[in-house]
Structure formats: structure tokens, C-alpha cells
Amino acid sequence: MNAKVLLYAAAAAAATLLAAVFMPHATSASRSSSPASPAADTPRYERALPAAEVLIDAGHGGIDGGAHYGSVLEKDINLEVAKRLYLVLRSQGIPAVLNRTGDYALSDENRWHPSRSRHQRDLSQRRGLTDEIAVQLLVSLHVNWSRRPSASGPLVLHQEEGRSALLAAFLQDALNREYGSRRLPRVGKPYYLLNLVKRPAVIVELGFLSSPADRAKLTDPRWQQRLAEAVAAGIRQYLWTAG
């Protein structure tokens, strides 16, 4: 047998040995790359929507400016404090969701409510988010108005429900300390959100736009930060207490 034949024989033997070593792995790989079972292909929606402790509702927006004094609009103050509150809560490890981040009306996002009323669609969209997003509580930020120039200070409105009343008490106390006021929270019987939201919910009136003293605070970025931190303190106290 010449050298060339010996070389071919050795190559054939090596090929046979390699096949014996690697074929089981190849078979295993082909099994692992086979189509997954139907159960493995089933879509999972757990993270399709955010989950958080707090849903922050920035009142009004877009065409709905809310209360106003000249060019000062409630919707802008609500949004500024809401964004600051969101950042404060997140920095303290409290997951939060903000329902609007710009100047637009939530009624524009509502395609499911049959009402022609923009106001009704706006409110139902805000309430609907509490059903769609897994949150523990809703805090709706607003600015108050009165025909009486002497009316001033913060006011927290709550549901006729124990947890909502507890949350309102903590928020009112924190805001009272900022303003140096002694207001007590109240039941907000006629308010749509408070009547229909199924979780503890409150409406926080941050101050009176009709009051010169309050208006100076509400439009001051430093005071907006202080108000956001006060609301965050009340929320934090509630979460610690209610568990």
C-alpha cells in the first residue's frame, strides 16, 4: 500500500471518529432548535402596561386650561408640580406613573367613551387609567379658585372611605405645614373621580389662584418644588402606615 493510499485511509478514519464524537451534539442541538411548544409561544402581557404605587393625575390640559388669572393657567401649574412630584417619588423608591407629560387634553386619547362631551371623555379617561394600570392610589393635582380674595391655602378632598380619608389627612398636614395653615380635609361628594375610582383617591387643591399670596407661591418654581415634596411626604407617610 503506497503512501497516498495510507493517507486517504487515515483521513477516512479521522472523519469517522469525528462523526462519532460530534453527532450526538448535533442531534441534541437539532432537538433544542425544534419549534417551541404552543404554551411557550403564548404571548405574555404582564408588562404591557406599567405598574406603580401612585398614579399622578395632572389636572386639566390642552384646550381645558382650568382656573386662570390673566395668562396664568391652572393646567400649567398642575403639570409642573406633577412632574416634580413624579421625580421626587421615584428618587425615594416609590414607583409612580404620570398620566400626562405635556400640554394636551386626555379627552383626545379617549376613543372608547361614546359621549360627545369633551369633559366627560376627559374624566372617564382619567378614571379608566386607574383600572388599566396596577396602582395603589390616585393623587389628582389641581389649583383652587374663589370669588373671595381672602380664601387661601391648600385643601385635600377625599372619598367617603377610610383609606382615602387617611391619605388626605397626611397630605393636608404636610401642605398645612408649608403654608402655615390649619385647614382640614373634606369629603368631595360631587367629584366624578372620587365617586368612581375604585382605589383610594384624593384631589389636592394646591392653593388658590385667586389669592395674590397663593398665586405668588404657585407660580414660583422653588415653591412648586416645595409643594411636590410636601405631597410626596404625605404619600410616603400613608404608604408606611397603610402598608
Side-chain angles (χ1 to χ4, degrees):
M1 186 179 294
N2 60 32
K4 185 177 292 188
V5 173
L6 286 173
L7 182 60
Y8 288 155
T16 302
L17 179 61
L18 289 171
V21 172
F22 290 109
M23 276 300 290
H25 296 278
T27 304
S28 171
S30 64
R31 284 198 300 267
S32 66
S33 62
S34 61
S37 64
D41 284 343
T42 302
R44 300 183 65 183
Y45 299 106
E46 291 92 336
R47 298 185 182 278
L49 289 170
E53 299 277 349
V54 184
L55 174 56
I56 305 168
D57 172 40
H60 305 283
I63 193 173
D64 180 8
H68 66 91
Y69 182 88
S71 61
V72 180
L73 303 177
E74 177 188 353
K75 65 175 182 177
D76 298 329
I77 296 171
N78 296 341
L79 182 58
E80 284 304 312
V81 177
K83 290 192 292 187
R84 291 171 184 273
L85 174 59
Y86 172 83
L87 293 175
V88 172
L89 290 175
R90 301 287 291 194
S91 71
Q92 296 173 351
I94 301 174
V97 175
L98 182 57
N99 67 358
R100 72 177 176 94
T101 57
D103 183 19
Y104 50 86
L106 291 186
S107 57
D108 296 339
E109 299 176 350
N110 191 327
R111 298 291 184 270
W112 53 272
H113 197 292
S115 174
R116 292 184 178 181
S117 167
R118 181 206 55 75
H119 185 61
Q120 285 290 337
R121 293 198 310 275
D122 181 273
L123 289 173
S124 62
Q125 180 72 3
R126 294 173 193 274
R127 180 204 55 82
L129 288 174
T130 64
D131 294 332
E132 295 177 7
I133 301 173
V135 295
Q136 288 196 33
L137 57 96
L138 167 71
V139 175
S140 183
L141 300 180
H142 288 265
V143 170
N144 222 335
W145 180 272
S146 174
R147 293 181 179 179
R148 296 182 298 108
S150 60
S152 63
L155 175 63
V156 183
L157 303 166
H158 60 85
Q159 300 158 310
E160 283 193 286
E161 189 268 341
R163 293 171 300 169
S164 175
L166 180 63
L167 173 59
F170 286 132
L171 290 167
Q172 187 73 63
D173 180 65
L175 288 166
N176 279 346
R177 282 186 270 112
E178 289 297 325
Y179 273 90
S181 57
R182 295 184 178 181
R183 277 181 173 269
L184 295 175
R186 299 178 188 172
V187 176
K189 287 185 178 180
Y191 290 90
Y192 176 94
L193 281 180
L194 299 182
N195 288 328
L196 294 183
V197 169
K198 299 174 184 177
R199 293 172 175 78
V202 293
I203 293 175
V204 179
E205 300 283 2
L206 296 164
F208 281 80
L209 198 57
S210 51
S211 162
D214 283 8
R215 188 165 60 250
K217 293 180 174 67
L218 294 169
T219 55
D220 183 345
R222 292 169 299 179
W223 257 93
Q224 291 171 353
Q225 182 66 26
R226 289 177 62 173
L227 293 173
E229 290 174 358
V231 174
I235 291 172
R236 190 169 62 250
Q237 188 67 35
Y238 169 81
L239 293 174
W240 285 346
T241 303

